[in-house]
Amino acid sequence: MELRHLKHFLVLAKLKHFNRAAVQLNLAQPSLSRSIQKMEERLGVKLLERNSKSVSLTEFGELVVRQGQKIIDDVDLLYSDIRSLNGLDAGDILIGSSPIPSNALLGAAIGNFIRLYPHINVELIVDSPAELYERLIGGGLSMFVAETKVTDFDKREELATLPLPEYDIIFCVRAEHPLVMSKALMLDDLREYPLAVPRTMPLSVQAQFGDLFDKDRHDFGGLVKFDQFNPIKESLLNCNMVAITPEIAVRKELAEGKLVSLPVSDMVKLTSCFSIVYLKSKSLSPVTTAFIDYLLSCLHPATTPTLQQS
């Protein structure tokens, strides 16, 4: 049995609801279901009774809850002792991030990391990928997280990159939007509604949508270009705007039913490729290395890449 499966189970046992537990764990619901199934398979017993709305614990599940938290606490204590021996009880990290991963990926990770490392100071700087790169080169960041495929950061000789999970790019709208009831959506169906699109979307990506984001098209319905997506989410909930964004940016709202992903049949499949970026030529501090390893373990629980420095 893996610790991550146990942690997933304890959260689910507390909330007794797959959707809410998945949101709290920053997992897709199918991933959480597979995690629980693997735990039951390895223990050889049934831990949960499931129905369409909630879950309840079997007697084996109750036993795991009673003893599982002690296991987690003992492991946390072991990590604490190792950190003290390794000199990781103090230090500073300057973390950079573009807007979407700062909210969707880094927020919870930094909070939990500080809980484990209470004497480490973390400063999070949110900026555009270009500005983050300049800060990193100038020594103003320890590392940053940003989209790397469209920025070509993964091709620059001076940079090392560690890829995070890829997330689908989707169109999303509020649950009451007229398009939600459409059975066979095409890109042309979006034209009569205001569109929200990242200001930094590369022209090569925009070209895959024809003239959909062209403000000069004859059937123009309005266009909002944004750097920060959070204000756009508020707009989506209160009007008929259609936004294009990585699924991870709206996962919580999708799970809660506030926003809906539109199944556009003629949309080219696109994914966002966020990565951890740092300088090859500069040795990372122990606390920065610890944070990167922690972030990777949270987002890549099954196959964590090995952090290597040149």
Side-chain angles (χ1 to χ4, degrees), residues 13 52 94 142 150 168 191 201 203 245-246 249 265 269 276 279 303:
S52 60
L94 292 170
S142 308
V150 299
D168 289 340
R191 289 174 173 270
M201 179 183 283
L203 293 177
T245 185
S265 60
K269 181 175 175 59
I276 296 168
L279 290 174
T303 55

Side-chain angles (χ1 to χ4, degrees), residues 132-161:
L132 294 173
Y133 172 77
E134 293 300 328
R135 286 177 182 267
L136 183 70
I137 294 297
L141 289 177
S142 308
M143 44 79 69
F144 68 81
V145 177
E147 186 25 279
T148 45
K149 182 179 291 185
V150 299
T151 57
D152 288 334
F153 286 152
D154 55 345
K155 296 182 176 64
R156 300 197 183 191
E157 288 296 324
E158 72 275 21
L159 300 179
T161 60

Side-chain angles (χ1 to χ4, degrees), residues 150 169 171 187 191 195-217 220 223-226 244 267-268 270:
V150 299
I169 303 292
F171 283 104
L187 286 172
R191 289 174 173 270
L195 299 171
V197 56
R199 193 169 58 83
T200 55
M201 179 183 283
L203 293 177
S204 59
V205 175
Q206 291 190 42
Q208 299 184 59
F209 295 91
D211 66 347
L212 183 64
F213 303 123
D214 188 348
K215 64 181 181 180
D216 295 323
R217 60 181 169 86
F220 182 67
L223 184 68
V224 176
K225 292 189 176 183
F226 59 85
I244 185 169
M267 176 181 174
V268 176
L270 298 172

Side-chain angles (χ1 to χ4, degrees), residues 3 15 21 53 71 88 90 93 112 156 158 162 189 191 213 215 223 234 275 288 294 300:
L3 278 177
L15 297 178
K53 294 184 178 180
I71 294 172
L88 294 180
I93 314 176
N112 289 327
R156 300 197 183 191
E158 72 275 21
L162 290 170
D189 296 319
R191 289 174 173 270
F213 303 123
K215 64 181 181 180
L223 184 68
E234 293 301 316
S275 296
T288 302
Y294 179 77
H300 272 300

Side-chain angles (χ1 to χ4, degrees), residues 2 8 12 16 43 47 51 66 69 83 89 100 119 159 163 172 175 177 180 184 197 210 229 261-262 282 284 287:
E2 298 181 31
H8 296 169
L12 179 59
K16 293 184 171 59
L43 291 176
L47 301 175
N51 59 48
R66 288 197 298 272
Q69 191 58 55
R83 289 195 302 273
D89 269 352
I100 285 179
H119 301 294
L159 300 179
C172 61
H177 196 284
V180 172
V197 56
F229 184 64
S261 174
L262 294 177
K282 186 176 180 180
L284 296 174
V287 291

Side-chain angles (χ1 to χ4, degrees), residues 13-304:
K14 178 181 178 181
L15 297 178
K16 293 184 171 59
H17 194 282
F18 268 95
N19 265 346
R20 289 196 289 269
V23 169
Q24 181 167 320
L25 290 164
N26 197 28
L27 290 174
Q29 184 175 328
S31 297
L32 176 58
S33 296
R34 287 194 296 270
S35 179
I36 302 303
Q37 288 169 1
K38 287 181 181 178
M39 186 172 175
E40 289 180 322
E41 290 171 1
R42 293 178 183 182
L43 291 176
V45 294
K46 188 175 182 180
L47 301 175
L48 300 170
E49 296 290 349
R50 301 165 173 83
N51 59 48
S52 60
K53 294 184 178 180
S54 63
V55 296
S56 59
L57 299 175
T58 66
E59 60 179 338
F60 297 107
E62 292 174 351
L63 175 63
V64 172
V65 169
R66 288 197 298 272
Q67 299 194 17
Q69 191 58 55
K70 183 178 184 303
I71 294 172
I72 299 298
D73 292 341
D74 286 345
V75 171
D76 285 347
L77 179 60
L78 173 61
Y79 282 149
S80 177
D81 290 343
I82 290 174
R83 289 195 302 273
S84 297
L85 185 62
N86 199 33
L88 294 180
D89 269 352
D92 300 307
I93 314 176
L94 292 170
I95 301 171
S97 178
S98 55
I100 285 179
S102 72
N103 292 305
L105 303 178
L106 287 175
I110 289 175
N112 289 327
F113 184 76
I114 290 300
R115 179 180 63 82
L116 295 173
Y117 295 73
H119 301 294
I120 290 175
N121 300 312
V122 175
E123 183 174 349
L124 176 62
I125 298 170
V126 180
D127 215 328
S128 67
E131 289 296 326
L132 294 173
Y133 172 77
E134 293 300 328
R135 286 177 182 267
L136 183 70
I137 294 297
L141 289 177
S142 308
M143 44 79 69
F144 68 81
V145 177
E147 186 25 279
T148 45
K149 182 179 291 185
V150 299
T151 57
D152 288 334
F153 286 152
D154 55 345
K155 296 182 176 64
R156 300 197 183 191
E157 288 296 324
E158 72 275 21
L159 300 179
T161 60
L162 290 170
L164 302 179
E166 295 188 4
Y167 301 99
D168 289 340
I169 303 292
I170 64 170
F171 283 104
C172 61
V173 296
R174 64 190 180 104
E176 299 81 12
H177 196 284
L179 288 176
V180 172
M181 301 305 294
S182 301
K183 294 183 178 179
L185 278 175
M186 307 286 283
L187 286 172
D188 281 347
D189 296 319
L190 311 184
R191 289 174 173 270
E192 63 181 285
Y193 299 99
L195 299 171
V197 56
R199 193 169 58 83
T200 55
M201 179 183 283
L203 293 177
S204 59
V205 175
Q206 291 190 42
Q208 299 184 59
F209 295 91
D211 66 347
L212 183 64
F213 303 123
D214 188 348
K215 64 181 181 180
D216 295 323
R217 60 181 169 86
H218 74 280
D219 54 353
F220 182 67
L223 184 68
V224 176
K225 292 189 176 183
F226 59 85
D227 288 316
Q228 296 276 355
F229 184 64
N230 270 355
I232 300 302
K233 281 199 287 189
E234 293 301 316
S235 297
L236 285 174
L237 295 172
N238 294 287
C239 70
N240 284 339
M241 183 185 294
V242 179
I244 185 169
T245 185
E247 174 269 341
I248 187 64
V250 290
R251 179 171 290 175
K252 180 175 181 290
E253 290 77 11
L254 294 175
E256 293 173 346
K258 295 178 179 178
L259 295 179
V260 176
S261 174
L262 294 177
V264 182
S265 60
D266 59 341
M267 176 181 174
V268 176
K269 181 175 175 59
L270 298 172
T271 57
S272 58
C273 305
F274 298 112
S275 296
I276 296 168
V277 182
Y278 58 96
L279 290 174
K280 288 181 180 178
S281 60
K282 186 176 180 180
S283 296
L284 296 174
S285 68
V287 291
T288 302
T289 301
F291 176 75
I292 291 176
D293 286 342
Y294 179 77
L295 180 60
L296 290 172
S297 71
C298 292
L299 301 177
H300 272 300
T303 55
T304 302

